[in-house]
Amino acid sequence: MLAEIKKKTTTVNAVTALESRGFLFGPYLAMKLNVPFIPLRKKGKLPGECVQTTYALEYGHDVLEMQKDALKAGDNVVIVDDLLATGGKPWRPLSSGRVTAFLSISQAP
């Protein structure tokens, strides 16, 4: 994964991951890239002021939150998720950052 990120982008400002299996790989990648790790969590789980978005699931809706001051406009962000089903869509309304890579461990059929 690390080699793919370095091959696809020159600058990464942060790594973010969707709760909770994305947390297995996201912090490791952030550490290796020497950038902050920013968790995306379900509503009410993060401290401080948060921004949130509602997104559709195949069986309903869910809410995802990120701390309000976690990213700056234009930051280059790598998103890590365990399953390629959302395509990073829940993250996009939360930030004005740019998705430079989206990594998933498996893909939904």
Side-chain angles (χ1 to χ4, degrees):
M1 278 197 248
L2 189 58
E4 281 297 308
I5 293 169
K6 288 181 176 182
K7 185 167 66 172
K8 292 181 186 259
T9 184
T10 56
T11 303
V12 175
N13 301 107
V15 174
T16 187
L18 284 72
E19 183 174 336
S20 66
R21 290 177 288 219
F23 293 177
L24 295 173
F25 300 98
Y28 173 79
L29 288 174
M31 183 181 71
K32 289 295 188 181
L33 292 168
N34 199 31
V35 297
F37 172 71
I38 300 169
L40 303 178
R41 301 214 53 201
K42 293 184 180 184
K43 186 177 180 177
K45 300 281 185 174
L46 290 170
E49 192 173 352
C50 294
V51 291
Q52 63 178 235
T53 186
T54 301
Y55 63 100
L57 299 166
E58 56 187 81
Y59 52 84
H61 290 85
D62 208 349
V63 176
L64 196 61
E65 290 186 331
M66 177 178 77
Q67 290 177 320
K68 186 176 182 179
D69 59 354
L71 291 172
K72 297 181 296 247
D75 276 352
N76 294 314
V77 180
V78 173
I79 300 175
V80 180
D81 200 356
D82 66 320
L83 179 65
L84 180 58
T86 64
K89 289 178 193 167
W91 178 84
R92 289 187 180 104
L94 291 175
S95 173
S96 55
R98 250 188 334 236
V99 177
T100 57
F102 182 87
L103 305 172
S104 68
I105 309 310
S106 62
Q107 182 175 343

